[in-house]
């Protein structure tokens, strides 16, 4: 069948214009494919690395109920990582290649997971704020243009709301507990607030990857717009449980109906992304060690597969 | 050595009698491992009454580049649609 060289591009552009999903076997510009591999694999890495700050608390959970919930949540994060690695694989990248990029620092993960979970209240703050921020971003991504990514997001969003609610429940309980528990909850909020806001990425004016991402409908809302959505929701939730958002300049703009906040410390964000956060080394070393220790399982499974194929 | 094992596509039936829908994929060495991985990854909240796993390499799919031509035979057979037919005025329940 005769086709002109521009036909695949036309096909892609027309699909994007109509608002149709792009599927794995569709023609797509190489740059679109590369952008998605980068974004989806880093999203997957974030889910997997995100298991570490919480895994740290499984053996120290304050009750059997809390322990079972935390285990289920961390299992979900592992599952989310798998959905996302599968979605990235449909673009022609291998799982081992992605893991190597993570371990050599070529691929990033969300900077928020380079902060330590110091007390049990941090488990509350992570669920409430970190998962809460992730939900705002992922709700948008349910309508992203790449089909397998969008479908993974639908699945993840369904599961993520349990994560946020269990975190908020921990914070509410501690905020209503002894003075020490209350202080712990407030301290966790103080430490996680800014890192959670930074999860939406740099301000729109400095955002590196945004322009093409909008054009290709990978991204539907800007970093700042998503961040504002999260702030507006969360301030009210803090009030309900009697905790204070750690920002002296926080105020409601009656005209816009939105909360205004202090500028964030983007130098810190870039420092942490570049590998100099409090836990970067620990996170990657842990990942490498567990990956190496599990090598025999993968080899045994491959040998077993070889027997039958 | 690539130790990621074969790729399997996962299909989930949400209720008895419903069609199986594609949910995603898993890596596994054999049918049993594929089923167990699919259960753990895609059905942690009682989403399923049934699961199928199929080796991705065994799926034959229509070729996208040829899809116009491939599906073309259906286009000129509008008499397959009920609205093609003229029904005399007054006829009921047809």
């Amino acid at each position: 069948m005769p086709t002109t060289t521009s036909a695949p591009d036309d096909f892609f552009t027309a699909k994007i214009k109509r608002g149709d999903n792009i599927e794995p076997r569709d023609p797509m510009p190489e740059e679109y494919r590369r952008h998605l591999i980068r974004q989806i694999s880093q999203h997957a890495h974030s889910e997997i690395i995100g298991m570490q700050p919480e895994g740290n608390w499984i053996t120290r959970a304050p009750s059997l109920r809390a322990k079972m919930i935390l285990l289920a949540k961390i299992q979900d994060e592992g599952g989310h990582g798998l959905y996302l690695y599968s979605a990235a694989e449909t673009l022609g990248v291998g799982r081992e290649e992605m893991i190597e990029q993570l371990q050599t620092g070529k691929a990033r993960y969300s900077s928020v997971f380079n902060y330590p979970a110091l007390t049990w209240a941090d488990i509350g703050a992570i669920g409430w704020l970190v998962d809460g921020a992730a939900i705002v971003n992922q709700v948008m991504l349910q309508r992203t243009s790449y089909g397998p990514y969008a479908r993974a997001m639908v699945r993840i969003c369904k599961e993520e709301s349990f994560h946020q609610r269990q975190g908020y429940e921990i914070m509410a309980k501690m905020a209503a507990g002894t003075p020490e528990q209350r202080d712990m909850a407030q301290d966790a909020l103080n430490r996680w607030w800014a890192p959670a806001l930074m999860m939406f990425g740099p301000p729109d004016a400095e955002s590196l990857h945004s322009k093409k991402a909008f054009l290709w409908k990978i991204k539907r809302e800007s970093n700042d717009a998503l961040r504002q959505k999260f702030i507006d929701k969360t301030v009210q939730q803090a009030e309900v449980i009697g905790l204070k958002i750690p920002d002296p300049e926080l105020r409601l703009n009656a005209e816009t109906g939105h909360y205004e906040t202090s500028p964030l410390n983007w130098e810190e964000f870039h420092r942490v992304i570049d590998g100099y956060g409090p836990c970067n080394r620990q996170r990657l070393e842990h990942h490498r060690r567990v990956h190496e220790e599990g090598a025999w399982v993968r080899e045994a499974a491959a040998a077993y597969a070889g027997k039958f194929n | 050595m690539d130790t990621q094992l074969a790729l399997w596509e996962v299909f989930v039936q949400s209720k008895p009698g419903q069609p199986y829908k594609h949910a995603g994929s898993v890596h596994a060495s054999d049918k049993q491992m594929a089923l167990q991985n699919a259960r753990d990854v895609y059905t942690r909240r009682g989403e399923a009454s049934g699961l199928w796993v199929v080796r991705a390499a065994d799926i034959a799919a229509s070729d996208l580049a040829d899809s116009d031509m491939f599906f073309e035979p259906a286009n000129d057979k509008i008499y397959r649609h009920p609205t093609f037919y003229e029904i005399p005025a007054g006829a009921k329940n047809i």
Side-chain angles (χ1 to χ4, degrees), chain B:
Chain B
M1 152 180 169
D2 183 356
T3 54
Q4 293 301 307
L5 307 174
L7 188 67
W8 298 68
E9 298 300 331
V10 179
F11 299 82
V12 176
Q13 182 196 47
S14 58
K15 276 185 204 138
Q18 294 291 308
Y20 283 72
K21 265 174 82 174
H22 183 243
S25 49
V26 293
H27 294 250
S29 59
D30 60 297
K31 292 175 187 173
Q32 192 190 357
M33 190 197 275
L35 271 174
Q36 287 172 349
N37 288 352
R39 176 198 61 192
D40 293 345
V41 176
Y42 292 102
T43 67
R44 285 194 303 282
R45 286 172 175 73
E47 293 96 334
S49 58
L51 262 184
W52 287 352
V53 289
V54 185
R55 271 178 187 275
D58 289 339
I59 294 178
S62 61
D63 187 348
L64 193 92
D66 294 340
S67 68
D68 285 351
M69 201 167 63
F70 188 70
F71 294 111
E72 195 273 333
N75 292 345
D76 59 354
K77 296 177 182 63
I78 48 171
Y79 46 83
R80 284 175 174 164
H81 298 281
T83 47
F84 176 77
Y85 298 92
E86 276 176 37
I87 300 299
K92 287 178 184 167
N93 299 320
I94 177 159

Side-chain angles (χ1 to χ4, degrees), chain A residues 64-229:
Chain A
L64 183 58
R65 175 183 186 270
K67 187 175 183 165
M68 291 193 305
I69 291 169
L70 187 58
L71 273 169
K73 176 180 192 293
I74 296 169
Q75 190 192 15
D76 273 354
E77 310 294 4
H80 296 175
L82 292 178
Y83 302 154
L84 287 160
Y85 283 129
S86 300
E89 282 168 50
T90 63
L91 291 158
V93 64
R95 184 84 55 100
E96 286 193 342
E97 193 182 340
M98 288 188 273
I99 291 172
E100 196 199 307
Q101 286 175 348
L102 168 68
Q103 294 187 341
T104 55
K106 249 180 86 185
R108 304 274 172 77
Y109 54 87
S110 179
S111 70
V112 79
F113 299 115
N114 291 313
Y115 293 88
L118 299 178
T119 74
W120 177 250
D122 287 47
I123 299 304
I126 290 172
W128 175 34
L129 302 173
V130 176
D131 290 277
I135 289 172
V136 171
N137 188 42
Q138 291 172 158
V139 164
M140 167 193 72
L141 287 173
Q142 291 182 106
R143 293 181 298 124
T144 194
S145 57
Y146 188 57
Y149 193 24
R151 290 190 287 274
M153 283 302 118
V154 171
R155 199 169 275 285
I156 287 177
C157 281
K158 265 190 212 155
E159 302 183 349
E160 202 86 64
S161 77
F162 134 59
H163 297 180
Q164 193 190 17
R165 291 178 67 130
Q166 65 84 34
Y168 188 56
E169 187 194 82
I170 292 173
M171 291 301 262
K173 271 190 189 166
M174 292 189 73
T178 64
E180 289 85 356
Q181 287 171 332
R182 221 204 96 75
D183 288 350
M184 240 187 238
Q186 182 63 53
D187 174 60
L189 170 57
N190 294 351
R191 285 181 290 107
W192 287 94
W193 175 248
L197 296 188
M198 289 184 197
M199 285 173 68
F200 297 98
D204 296 345
E206 297 161 33
S207 184
L208 272 171
H209 306 288
S210 279
K211 221 178 139 195
K212 280 277 171 70
F214 274 113
L215 197 68
W216 289 328
K217 295 185 181 168
I218 295 173
K219 213 171 151 62
R220 302 269 189 168
E221 289 171 81
S222 78
N223 293 356
D224 287 333
L226 292 168
R227 186 165 19 245
Q228 189 64 53
K229 259 189 195 174

Side-chain angles (χ1 to χ4, degrees), chain A residues 266-284:
Chain A
W266 292 106
E267 255 171 58
E268 174 181 323
F269 174 79
H270 289 294
R271 204 167 55 237
V272 176
I273 282 268
D274 287 340
Y276 302 101
C279 301
N280 298 56
R281 267 209 8 216
Q282 186 188 336
R283 300 288 184 245
L284 282 185

